[in-house]
Amino acid sequence: SSLNYSASYGVSTMARPLNVFTADEYRKQVVALGGVLEDFKGNTDWQKEISRTAVTQNHNLSFGGGADKLTYYGSFGIQNQEGIIKNSQLNRYTGRLNVTQKLLKDRLTVDVNLNATQTYNERPPIESVLGSAISTNPTIPAYDANGNIYLYQSGTNPLLALKLEKDATTTTRILGNISPSLKITDHLTYKLNFGIDYSNAHRDL
């Protein structure tokens, strides 16, 4: 028999944030172009506020072995992956089991296979959040003095959409089959295959 375990760990960051004005540059450019400056006295990098250093973890466990008439193999895996946009998350769980049993002096062979996967995918309103992050006035503070998301009348704080909107989908799939085969003569074998394919998805929006 054998037992194996493997794991990996990774981090992700935004590779190339767009080069937009800082708050000080924004103040100068609005005035230079003859615009009306709304100065909220802040200095916010909105691309930094909506993103994060994301962590990905993978864990895999497998085992296998057997005896004279029996062989088996199984595995279980977990993947937890954060997205670089806050509130984006992918969790995947997988399981697999294969068993082969020989009976009746090896004339009868029974194969059993089972695979199961469950995926949880949470996706924030990426398009609107990214669009807001590159266009929102950088003089607006991200949070108020009490640590709450800063609210103002002339627009919407990009962090507010991340807080209020949720889109999460959970998908489960199970594949299984059992295949007995009977050797009737040296040149004739009868084989039966019975399988199931079950899939279910649930979305919370």
Side-chain angles (χ1 to χ4, degrees):
S1 299
S2 64
L3 181 66
N4 298 285
Y5 170 75
S6 63
S8 63
Y9 181 90
V11 293
S12 305
T13 59
M14 191 180 295
R16 292 181 296 276
L18 293 177
N19 185 22
V20 297
F21 290 144
T22 65
D24 290 338
E25 291 170 337
Y26 180 82
R27 294 182 180 100
K28 293 176 182 178
Q29 292 294 335
V30 171
V31 173
L33 292 171
V36 178
L37 175 64
E38 273 193 302
D39 192 347
F40 293 83
K41 310 302 181 183
N43 183 11
T44 305
D45 182 344
W46 287 110
Q47 293 180 86
K48 185 177 179 180
E49 289 294 331
I50 66 166
S51 64
R52 63 185 175 184
T53 298
V55 174
T56 298
Q57 297 184 65
N58 287 284
H59 301 273
N60 295 281
L61 179 69
S62 63
F63 58 91
D68 184 33
K69 305 292 185 180
L70 173 69
T71 57
Y72 62 88
Y73 174 82
S75 64
F76 179 71
I78 298 175
Q79 179 188 34
N80 292 333
Q81 181 177 5
E82 296 177 342
I84 60 173
I85 303 298
K86 291 178 178 177
N87 295 354
S88 56
Q89 180 79 27
L90 176 69
N91 297 335
R92 179 179 289 115
Y93 308 93
T94 59
R96 177 183 175 187
L97 180 63
N98 300 332
V99 179
T100 298
Q101 174 73 62
K102 294 183 179 295
L103 303 163
L104 302 178
K105 297 181 180 180
D106 296 344
R107 291 179 58 202
L108 176 63
T109 301
V110 180
D111 294 312
V112 178
N113 301 286
L114 180 65
N115 294 274
T117 304
Q118 185 175 76
T119 303
Y120 174 83
N121 187 11
E122 183 173 353
R123 184 181 186 274
I126 294 175
E127 293 85 357
S128 61
V129 169
L130 287 176
S132 297
I134 62 177
S135 62
T136 297
N137 182 341
T139 71
I140 298 170
Y143 300 94
D144 62 22
N146 297 320
N148 299 314
I149 291 176
Y150 187 85
L151 303 178
Y152 54 100
Q153 293 184 347
S154 58
T156 301
N157 189 321
L159 296 175
L160 192 61
L162 286 176
K163 179 181 179 181
L164 296 180
E165 296 189 34
K166 176 183 178 182
D167 186 355
T169 302
T170 302
T171 304
T172 302
R173 188 177 187 189
I174 298 174
L175 290 167
N177 74 292
I178 180 170
S179 302
S181 58
L182 179 62
K183 185 177 181 181
I184 300 173
T185 69
D186 290 340
H187 305 288
L188 179 63
T189 300
Y190 175 80
K191 184 173 183 179
L192 173 68
N193 185 54
F194 176 77
I196 183 172
D197 184 351
Y198 170 82
S199 182
N200 179 65
H202 175 263
R203 186 181 185 192
D204 182 7
L205 177 62

